[in-house]
Amino acid sequence: MHCRSCEMSLKPFMSFGQQPIANGFIESSAIGNEYFYELEVAVCPGCGLFQLVTQPDAGMMFHKNYAFFSKSSKGMQRHFSAFADYVRQNFLTSASPFVVEIGSNDGILLQNFADWNIAHLGIEPSQNVFEEAKRNGVETLCAFFSEDTSDKVCDQYGKADAIISANVICHIPDINSVAKGIVKLLKPEGVFIFEDPYLGDVVGKTSYDQIYDEHVFLFCVGSVKNIFEKFGLTLLDVLPQTTHGGSMRYVLGRQQYHEISDNVQKQIAKETALGLSLDSTYDAFRNNCEKSRADLVKLLTELKAKKKKVVGYAATSKSTTVLNYCNIGSDLIDFISDTSPEKQNKLSPGKHIPVKSHDEFVANYPDYAVLFAWNHEAEIKSKEKRFEESGGQWVHFVPDVRIDEPIQ
Ligand code: SAH
Ligand code: TMP
Ligand code: ZN
């Protein structure tokens, strides 16, 4: 196995065991036919890139029925409206700018540019979310981004002032093809701005649930510099984000047209202090994951022994890693409540916990709810006050396994 960026040979430092497709919610008739692969992770000794050893084929994850619609979170809608403002104010200075987004999903981010009448194009391979974007007037091409797609977009639409992306670049295994495609598609002074879950947060919070099939990479400032600088794109700025439990926004462009912010060196110093390139850091991370697993199973087993009703809140892709790594099934969690109709009345990948509508959660509040969508905690707690008033308590597992104190 070799690094997907620099081709140095890789040695996995831990395995999360056999895992199904994280967003592969199934009908009961499909039990027995599920695809599993071993979820092993490694950090490249050459370029520092954190990556999965094997990733299932893209067509198994991104297809006509992708289970995740970005607009399902109000908090993310606000985040993306602020992201669009940031891009427009800082980088769209030409008379008639053109913005391309990679992995635009249902149009949550590009909708802002469409509303401002700014020329834009989304590149989105999953048919159902692509169609939703088109319905809302967001110009979108149904394709996987790669160097080839970039050539086609250049021919048909011309070059971009800004290429933007959120929670997508970490999904694309051929990162060198992505980099080459971006270099071709950007105007000379154009910028590439992307954000993704940040390795420093995953290591710092033991949020190992960010590791699943779709996330083939977890980036940090050091690895992003190494990946893109060999293609002539300089890292100009880095801006930490609170989304998805801690993300990083990276701004890249050709050095002769831009200044480099001090933020880049400051963040690299933080990564050195965190030990993001040391083997010992990942040995400690593995130990922390094992402790988190033992603590969560112990807690849920105790609650069950006390005859408490425990459900899961939000059937996130992240929860697939947790449930399968910890071997938690419907013996410990009755069902998982989720607002996405695509997941409801199906079974969770691998462990086959029933997924039910949010109405079922409200109709009969449980004693405990495991907060799988912990990255949306503020949004969820504000809309679920009645659950807490009914005596319900949240179970958390990031950064530690714990139960919220009941409200008085
Ligand atoms: N940007 C959205 C969606 C993130 S989910 C948000 O932040 O909410 C990841 C998206 O990337 C999915 O919609 C998936 O279909 C898309 N995707 C996966 N591989 C891709 C590729 N090679 N090129 C473009 N999009 C891709
Ligand atoms: P993700 O973490 O894989 O992006 O998926 C988020 C899932 O969480 C999605 O299926 C919708 C669900 N969800 C809820 O059920 N309730 C909520 O309040 C939020 C924010 C998300
Ligand atoms: Zn490498």
Side-chain angles (χ1 to χ4, degrees), residues 147-218:
E147 191 180 0
D148 280 355
T149 309
S150 167
D151 288 338
K152 287 181 196 134
V153 173
C154 281
D155 288 350
Q156 268 185 26
Y157 299 84
K159 292 184 189 267
D161 295 74
I163 301 176
I164 57 179
S165 191
N167 311 306
V168 175
I169 301 304
C170 70
H171 292 59
I172 313 180
D174 193 347
I175 189 73
N176 290 336
S177 168
V178 168
K180 286 181 208 157
I182 283 163
V183 168
K184 286 182 170 178
L185 187 53
L186 275 185
K187 287 182 184 170
E189 67 285 10
V191 284
F192 170 43
I193 307 169
F194 76 102
E195 50 187 52
D196 270 310
Y198 180 57
L199 177 62
D201 285 295
V202 172
V203 168
K205 297 175 192 163
T206 318
S207 45
Y208 68 87
D209 56 344
Q210 285 294 359
I211 301 169
Y212 57 89
D213 53 7
E214 294 180 26
H215 292 174
V216 65
F217 302 121
L218 280 176

Side-chain angles (χ1 to χ4, degrees), residues 23 67-68 72-73 212 244 313-318 337-340 343 358 373 375-376 379-380 383:
N23 263 318
F68 174 67
S72 63
S73 162
Y212 57 89
H244 294 303
Y313 193 98
T316 59
S317 27
K318 297 189 290 295
S337 146
D338 195 281
T339 51
S340 306
K343 299 183 187 176
H358 179 253
N375 48 315
H376 300 295
E379 177 177 349
I380 291 170
K383 69 183 181 198

Side-chain angles (χ1 to χ4, degrees), residues 2-10 43-49 51 226-227 230:
H2 294 95
C3 172
R4 291 173 176 85
S5 172
C6 78
E7 293 181 2
M8 190 91 115
S9 97
L10 296 178
V43 178
C44 175
C47 69
L49 181 55
Q51 54 202 291
N226 289 333
I227 293 166
K230 59 179 190 277

Side-chain angles (χ1 to χ4, degrees), residues 23 58 61-63 66 68-71 76 79-80 101-109 122-130 141 143-146 149 165-173 178 195-196 212 214-215 244:
N23 263 318
M61 302 179 284
F62 313 115
H63 41 58
Y66 187 60
F68 174 67
F69 281 69
S70 299
K71 285 185 183 163
M76 288 309 288
H79 171 76
F80 284 128
E101 184 182 355
I102 302 176
S104 42
N105 198 278
D106 55 12
I108 187 170
L109 172 56
I123 300 170
E124 171 52 61
S126 298
Q127 182 87 25
N128 57 333
V129 291
F130 153 81
L141 186 72
F144 284 96
F145 185 77
S146 63
T149 309
S165 191
N167 311 306
V168 175
I169 301 304
C170 70
H171 292 59
I172 313 180
V178 168
E195 50 187 52
D196 270 310
Y212 57 89
E214 294 180 26
H215 292 174
H244 294 303

Side-chain angles (χ1 to χ4, degrees), residues 223-240:
S223 61
V224 165
K225 254 174 96 66
N226 289 333
I227 293 166
F228 291 100
E229 291 196 346
K230 59 179 190 277
F231 296 99
L233 287 178
T234 301
L235 186 55
L236 305 170
D237 202 357
V238 293
L239 302 134

Side-chain angles (χ1 to χ4, degrees), residues 312-326:
Y313 193 98
T316 59
S317 27
K318 297 189 290 295
S319 68
T320 296
T321 297
V322 178
L323 295 169
N324 287 274
Y325 173 61
C326 301

